[in-house]
């Protein structure tokens, strides 16, 4: 649909939505990646229909006159063709037709992808990954996800569920993961495992954000649990480097906000596991877009599909 672009906006606009386990964040973006408006809502609930209605309300808050569509990145395994969430261990959904539910709420075309895929696209188009290829983006938050942009395109696997790097096994007979298996990377380095490990060592509960803040102040237990998680993550990244040999690895997500404290540990783990030579020299950085990587990337999905951007 051809629409008039309001003054101050460049080209087509789209809305991007990031559906995490603990937040929903939506942005209105123009074709240069300029964020025009931001809206945030409550964490998704067990009812996908209620969540879709809340996303609909957020989108209506953002709509100027017309946008080309809405991109949504969700923390979970997505069937890209049908627009369904196959499973989201951290939100607690299984077989949810989220694209259809949101389309019904907003009356706009919706494109649904995994949140890490969306974040990867955001960082590559408008963040730390600009000009690099291939780029591996790792979302390090409550869960751990991955997105690979190669040849300028997101690699999704056959149905859209590729790069679930949080569920690579890193410890045989390790702790139980939200997916049902044992010893997954997410069960040893994800936000919930960091919180559990902190409680075990410090004898009190704290959120991962508080732990990051304590680590920044130099608290011993907080530093130790973050470094432990970073070692597991780094080793897993070394294995991924051996598989994909990206030009760059970018860390994004809630814990990545504290990644500067442990980036040396991540890099050391990577070097231990990566094959000798160039694989050990892969650049690992923290993303530039912060929590905007997901929603910006989701908007980018919509712009690329319906806005003529590429
Ligand atoms: Zn798992």
């Amino acid at each position: 649909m051809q629409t008039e672009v309001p003054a101050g906006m460049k080209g087509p606009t789209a809305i991007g939505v990031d559906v995490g386990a603990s937040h929903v964040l939506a942005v209105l973006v123009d074709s240069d990646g300029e964020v025009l408006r931001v809206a945030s809502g409550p964490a998704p609930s067990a009812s996908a229909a209620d969540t879709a209605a809340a996303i609909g309300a957020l989108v209506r808050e953002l709509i100027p006159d017309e946008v080309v569509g809405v991109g949504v990145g969700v923390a979970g395994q997505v069937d890209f063709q049908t627009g369904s969430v196959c499973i989201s261990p951290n939100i607690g959904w299984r077989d949810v037709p989220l694209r259809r539910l949101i389309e019904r709420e907003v009356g706009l075309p919706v494109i649904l992808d995994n949140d890490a895929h969306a974040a990867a696209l955001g960082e590559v188009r408008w963040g730390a990954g600009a000009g690099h290829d291939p780029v591996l983006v790792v979302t390090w938050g409550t869960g751990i996800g991955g997105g690979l942009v190669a040849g300028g395109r997101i690699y999704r696997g056959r149905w859209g569920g590729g790069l679930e790097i949080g569920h690579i096994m890193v410890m045989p007979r390790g702790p139980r993961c939200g997916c049902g298996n044992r010893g997954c990377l997410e069960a040893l380095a994800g936000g919930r495992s960091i919180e559990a490990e902190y409680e075990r060592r410090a004898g009190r509960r704290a959120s991962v954000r508080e732990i990051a803040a304590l680590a920044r102040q130099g608290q011993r237990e907080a530093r130790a649990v973050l470094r432990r998680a970073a070692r597991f993550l780094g080793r897993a990244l070394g294995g991924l480097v051996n598989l994909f040999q990206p030009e760059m690895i970018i860390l994004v997500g809630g814990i990545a906000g504290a990644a500067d404290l442990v980036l040396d540990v991540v890099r050391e783990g990577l070097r231990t596991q990566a094959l000798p030579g160039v694989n050990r020299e892969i650049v690992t950085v923290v993303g530039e877009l912060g929590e905007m990587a997901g929603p910006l990337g989701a908007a980018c999905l919509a712009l690329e599909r319906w806005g003529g951007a590429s």
Side-chain angles (χ1 to χ4, degrees):
M1 192 191 321
Q2 205 58 41
T3 57
E4 233 179 42
V5 179
M9 294 181 188
K10 288 187 200 141
T13 59
I15 289 171
V17 184
D18 185 40
V19 184
S22 56
H23 71 276
V24 176
L25 187 60
V27 295
L28 174 69
V29 175
D30 73 12
S31 56
D32 282 349
E34 197 68 43
V35 177
L36 305 168
R37 280 178 213 166
V38 181
S40 62
S45 72
S47 160
D50 288 354
T51 304
I55 291 169
L58 277 187
V59 167
R60 284 190 293 275
E61 243 179 76
L62 292 175
I63 293 176
D65 285 327
E66 289 274 356
V67 299
V68 297
V70 179
V72 178
V74 61
Q77 197 178 53
V78 168
D79 183 325
F80 188 68
Q81 304 303 327
T82 64
S84 302
V85 181
C86 308
I87 180 166
S88 172
N90 292 323
I91 303 178
W93 291 347
R94 191 179 273 271
D95 296 325
V96 169
L98 191 62
R99 186 175 74 199
R100 191 159 47 78
L101 290 174
I102 297 174
E103 267 171 353
R104 203 183 288 159
E105 292 291 334
V106 300
L108 285 167
V110 172
I111 180 169
L112 182 76
D113 206 337
N114 167 267
D115 62 339
H117 293 183
L121 193 62
E123 284 288 349
V124 167
R125 290 287 186 271
W126 297 319
H132 301 280
D133 192 284
V135 175
L136 176 67
V137 172
V138 178
T139 54
W140 193 16
T142 306
I144 297 178
L148 180 72
V149 178
R153 303 254 156 241
I154 299 173
Y155 175 83
R156 293 194 175 86
R158 172 61 183 84
W159 289 282
L163 272 294
E164 282 283 1
I165 67 176
H167 304 285
I168 293 173
M169 200 271 282
V170 294
M171 183 189 278
R173 297 182 298 282
R176 183 75 72 185
C177 178
C179 73
N181 288 335
R182 283 189 178 278
C184 291
L185 175 62
E186 186 169 303
L188 288 148
R192 284 183 183 144
S193 79
I194 290 173
E195 288 168 1
E197 185 67 16
Y198 181 79
E199 190 178 355
R200 197 179 68 74
R201 292 188 191 210
R204 65 177 197 87
R205 295 172 74 92
S207 73
V208 85
R209 273 175 202 276
E210 290 163 345
I211 296 167
L214 288 167
R216 207 168 282 287
Q217 292 159 24
Q219 199 216 44
R220 199 162 49 86
E221 290 90 350
R223 292 215 124 164
V225 297
L226 283 181
R227 290 178 76 82
R228 176 179 185 271
R231 260 192 299 279
F232 284 113
L233 180 66
R235 288 286 191 114
L237 291 183
L240 289 166
V241 160
N242 292 340
L243 277 182
F244 298 115
Q245 201 174 68
E247 185 185 342
M248 179 185 261
I249 296 175
I250 304 174
L251 302 179
V252 302
I255 302 170
D260 58 303
L261 299 172
V262 290
L263 209 48
D264 58 324
V265 184
V266 174
R267 288 177 177 144
E268 193 186 300
L270 188 154
R271 288 178 65 87
T272 307
Q273 195 66 32
L275 290 169
V278 288
N279 283 12
R280 289 192 182 163
E281 308 306 325
I282 303 290
V283 177
T284 306
V285 299
V286 178
E288 287 175 1
L289 303 179
E291 64 176 1
M292 287 296 168
L296 277 170
C300 195
L301 285 167
L303 284 167
E304 291 189 359
R305 174 159 297 184
W306 298 296
S310 62

